[in-house]
């Protein structure tokens, strides 16, 4: 339980929340931890969202299937990260993507209606939670702009390099491990795996990158 507490504590939603108040926050907001099996849908496209969720263990993926049945990975969400927050606080909104368990995972679900509405106990940490939520949504909007920049590139090479450069800038290093295997990377970029693998090989041959599976170094 201590390990779960540490993961939840790292979520940006709880920035400036005192350790002794963290359990109170979860109770006030109807927090409950739900377990999901690998590949099990957590929320499906078109579903109403009543809760904002925090990954406690494992990971989940935001995905969409196109008209040919090809899966596109929008984003991977790992331990301590939040998802479904924007939809859950928007009246009558429905999920634009499907959230699926990447592996066996646990998710802390918080009732969004309790986050936005003042509670009868007048809990003083509500204002911090709302400020943190606004900050998270703003940062995700910036990330979505960056993702559009990646997927709008016309060539597979352009998409690969735009993604790798974004990761290098975000992590502050030219050497890093991405959170995707090759098929997942192809799904994230919206390209065919074979074409992507061929382009990665050409990038290596041209001396632009070094790589081994999920490890990359930009030369």
């Amino acid at each position: 339980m201590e390990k779960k507490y540490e993961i939840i504590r790292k979520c940006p939603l709880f920035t400036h929340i005192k350790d002794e108040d963290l359990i109170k926050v979860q109770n006030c907001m109807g927090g409950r931890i739900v377990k999901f099996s690998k590949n099990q849908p957590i929320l499906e496209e078109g579903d109403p969202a009543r809760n904002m969720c925090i990954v406690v263990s494992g990971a989940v993926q935001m995905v969409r299937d196109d008209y040919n049945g090809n899966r596109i990975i929008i984003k991977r969400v790992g331990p301590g990260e939040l998802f479904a927050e924007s939809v859950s606080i928007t009246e009558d909104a429905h999920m634009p993507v499907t959230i699926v368990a990447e592996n066996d995972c646990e998710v802390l679900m918080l009732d969004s209606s309790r986050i936005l509405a003042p509670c009868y106990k007048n809990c003083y940490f509500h204002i911090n939670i709302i400020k943190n939520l606004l900050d998270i949504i703003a940062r995700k909007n910036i990330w979505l702009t960056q993702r559009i920049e990646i997927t709008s590139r016309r060539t597979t090479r352009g998409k690969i390099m735009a993604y790798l450069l974004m990761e290098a800038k975000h992590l502050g290093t030219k050497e890093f491990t991405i959170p995707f295997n090759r098929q997942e990377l192809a799904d994230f970029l919206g390209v065919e795996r074979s074409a992507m693998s061929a382009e990665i090989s050409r990038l290596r041959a041209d001396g632009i990158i070094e790589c081994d599976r999920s490890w990359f170094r930009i030369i």
Side-chain angles (χ1 to χ4, degrees), residues 8-9 11-17 22 25 54 110 129 132:
I8 294 169
R9 185 74 188 85
C11 180
L13 187 66
F14 302 126
T15 301
H16 303 308
I17 300 297
L22 190 56
V25 173
I54 300 170
L110 301 170
I129 292 290
N132 293 339

Side-chain angles (χ1 to χ4, degrees), residues 12-15 17 22 25 29 52 110 114-116 124-136:
L13 187 66
F14 302 126
T15 301
I17 300 297
L22 190 56
V25 173
M29 298 176 180
M52 59 182 68
L110 301 170
R114 297 192 188 186
I115 292 177
L116 297 180
Y124 57 87
F125 44 69
H126 260 88
I127 188 66
N128 277 338
I129 292 290
I130 293 172
K131 285 181 178 179
N132 293 339
L133 181 58
L134 290 173
D135 183 70
I136 290 168

Side-chain angles (χ1 to χ4, degrees), residues 1-197:
M1 188 63 191
E2 184 65 26
K3 184 177 180 180
K4 292 180 183 179
Y5 173 87
E6 289 301 320
I7 294 297
I8 294 169
R9 185 74 188 85
K10 293 178 181 178
C11 180
L13 187 66
F14 302 126
T15 301
H16 303 308
I17 300 297
K18 297 178 182 178
D19 287 348
E20 59 267 27
D21 290 331
L22 190 56
I23 298 299
K24 296 178 185 178
V25 173
Q26 295 178 59
N27 291 336
C28 181
M29 298 176 180
R32 56 193 176 92
I33 292 179
V34 182
K35 295 182 179 181
F36 295 91
S37 301
K38 181 178 180 180
N39 296 325
Q40 181 180 356
I42 298 170
L43 288 166
E44 298 200 58
E45 183 177 349
D47 284 350
R50 305 282 185 251
N51 303 289
M52 59 182 68
C53 308
I54 300 170
V55 178
V56 178
S57 66
V60 307
Q61 293 179 347
M62 299 180 181
V63 302
R64 291 197 74 177
D65 295 327
D66 65 19
Y67 61 92
N68 287 322
N70 299 311
R71 173 154 289 188
I72 299 172
I73 297 176
I74 307 298
K75 185 176 175 62
R76 180 183 185 273
V77 184
E81 294 185 282
L82 190 68
F83 66 89
E85 70 285 348
S86 296
V87 178
S88 66
I89 63 173
T90 304
E91 188 174 357
D92 297 328
H94 294 79
M95 289 298 299
V97 298
T98 294
I99 310 292
V100 62
E102 181 180 275
N103 41 42
D104 291 349
C105 66
E106 294 176 296
V107 174
L108 172 63
M109 296 189 168
L110 301 170
D111 186 339
S112 296
S113 65
R114 297 192 188 186
I115 292 177
L116 297 180
C119 88
Y120 71 93
K121 295 180 181 179
N122 293 317
C123 298
Y124 57 87
F125 44 69
H126 260 88
I127 188 66
N128 277 338
I129 292 290
I130 293 172
K131 285 181 178 179
N132 293 339
L133 181 58
L134 290 173
D135 183 70
I136 290 168
I137 292 173
R139 291 179 183 277
K140 287 194 175 181
N141 282 338
I142 294 172
W143 180 87
L144 286 171
T145 299
Q146 294 173 331
R147 174 163 171 72
I148 290 171
E149 180 183 346
I150 293 170
T151 56
S152 63
R153 299 300 174 96
R154 294 188 178 184
T155 65
T156 298
R157 173 177 284 220
K159 292 179 180 182
I160 294 169
M161 287 308 302
Y163 171 69
L164 294 178
L165 289 169
M166 185 184 77
E167 285 292 290
K169 184 177 181 180
H170 174 69
L171 297 171
T173 176
K174 293 183 178 181
E175 183 176 335
F176 49 86
T177 299
I178 65 173
F180 301 124
N181 60 35
R182 288 298 171 86
Q183 182 59 59
E184 290 170 339
L185 179 59
D187 291 342
F188 177 80
L189 298 176
V191 298
E192 291 291 334
R193 177 177 175 174
S194 57
M196 183 195 72
S197 295

Side-chain angles (χ1 to χ4, degrees), residues 174-178 180 182 210-217:
K174 293 183 178 181
E175 183 176 335
F176 49 86
T177 299
I178 65 173
F180 301 124
R182 288 298 171 86
E210 292 179 351
C211 64
D212 180 22
R213 297 184 180 181
S214 296
W215 173 84
F216 287 84
R217 184 166 78 89

